[in-house]
Amino acid sequence: QVQLQESGPGLVKPSETLSLNCTVSGGSISRTSYYWGWIRQPPGKGLEWIGSIYYTGSTYDNPSLKSRVTISVDTSKDQFSLNLRSVTAADTAVYYCVRHLAAGGTFEYWGQGTLVTVSS
Amino acid sequence: DIQMTQSPSSLSASVGDRVTITCRASQSISSYLNWYQQKPGKAPKLLIYAASTLQRGVPARFSGSGSGTDFTLTISSLQPEDYGTYYCQQSDSISYTFGQGTKLEIK
């Protein structure tokens, strides 16, 4: 059974960079056919897909985030990471890491989520 | 981006009721439509993918239908544990988008 676990600071200052890691267990991140992604949910609001990465490093992300996103992968650690630059209070959210099929965006496995608050 | 619109935004129903939630896409997405259930403080859980395929382990009282722009999630006989917020999500365009959610309460 695949499990995903987010980690990282719970508080980030405005204009700084939000950085999160996701550790995958129960299966290698290098398995073909799967992408690894990030989704966020502001408190009391809906879900927003941020971006996804393949184990080769190929990525794609949500254009609405205006190129503030970098997603990377470390196959030796079965981890992938999110960097979101120039954050504002609007980036306060629960951030989830997910797994989906390379053939489509069906988010089958989710981490438990981690709340990141942007505040000075 | 493809916009996803759910209705209703919230509903309250009794145990045993048949419940229907609808989702409309702003353009045709074929059958690239998924449904998730989220309980308070928890991550969403995949219920149905490809519009009508039940994810393994999900009770058979859940079903999905539709194609193109109009989709439906049905709970045939509502159970106490079915409370939560339900989201549809399109996976046709790689800029994946979700509906705004439907909050389901048990009377």
Side-chain angles (χ1 to χ4, degrees), chain B residues 1 28 36 45 60 69 75 77 104:
Chain B
D1 282 4
S28 177
Y36 301 85
K45 170 188 172 184
T69 60
I75 307 173
S77 179
L104 172 58

Side-chain angles (χ1 to χ4, degrees), chain A residues 41 49 60 96 105 107-108, chain B residues 36 38 56 87 89 94 96:
Chain A
Q41 184 173 37
W49 171 75
Y60 57 108
Y96 296 99
F107 304 111
E108 184 182 19
Chain B
Y36 301 85
Q38 185 179 34
R56 59 187 175 277
Y87 293 94
Q89 174 243 332
I94 61 170
Y96 311 120

Side-chain angles (χ1 to χ4, degrees), chain A residues 47-66:
Chain A
L47 299 159
E48 180 182 35
W49 171 75
I50 298 169
S52 297
I53 190 165
Y54 197 52
Y55 77 96
T56 57
S58 173
T59 62
Y60 57 108
D61 54 65
N62 192 329
S64 71
L65 291 167
K66 296 182 171 57

Side-chain angles (χ1 to χ4, degrees), chain B residues 74-95:
Chain B
T74 300
I75 307 173
S76 60
S77 179
L78 191 66
Q79 298 302 301
E81 62 268 28
D82 296 337
Y83 71 92
T85 302
Y86 291 79
Y87 293 94
C88 63
Q89 174 243 332
Q90 65 82 17
S91 55
D92 178 70
S93 160
I94 61 170
S95 191

Side-chain angles (χ1 to χ4, degrees), chain A residues 23-86:
Chain A
T23 301
V24 177
S25 59
S28 170
I29 202 170
S30 301
R31 284 188 66 181
T32 58
S33 302
Y34 297 111
Y35 266 77
W36 307 89
W38 293 94
I39 289 171
R40 69 180 182 178
Q41 184 173 37
K45 296 188 178 180
L47 299 159
E48 180 182 35
W49 171 75
I50 298 169
S52 297
I53 190 165
Y54 197 52
Y55 77 96
T56 57
S58 173
T59 62
Y60 57 108
D61 54 65
N62 192 329
S64 71
L65 291 167
K66 296 182 171 57
S67 302
R68 295 193 292 132
V69 172
T70 300
I71 299 175
S72 58
V73 64
D74 185 338
T75 56
S76 67
K77 296 181 180 178
D78 282 326
Q79 280 185 350
F80 62 104
S81 302
L82 169 68
N83 277 357
L84 180 64
R85 296 176 290 280
S86 304

Side-chain angles (χ1 to χ4, degrees), chain A residues 1-12:
Chain A
Q1 176 80 348
V2 173
Q3 292 186 314
L4 298 91
Q5 179 67 58
E6 304 89 352
S7 60
L11 181 64
V12 180

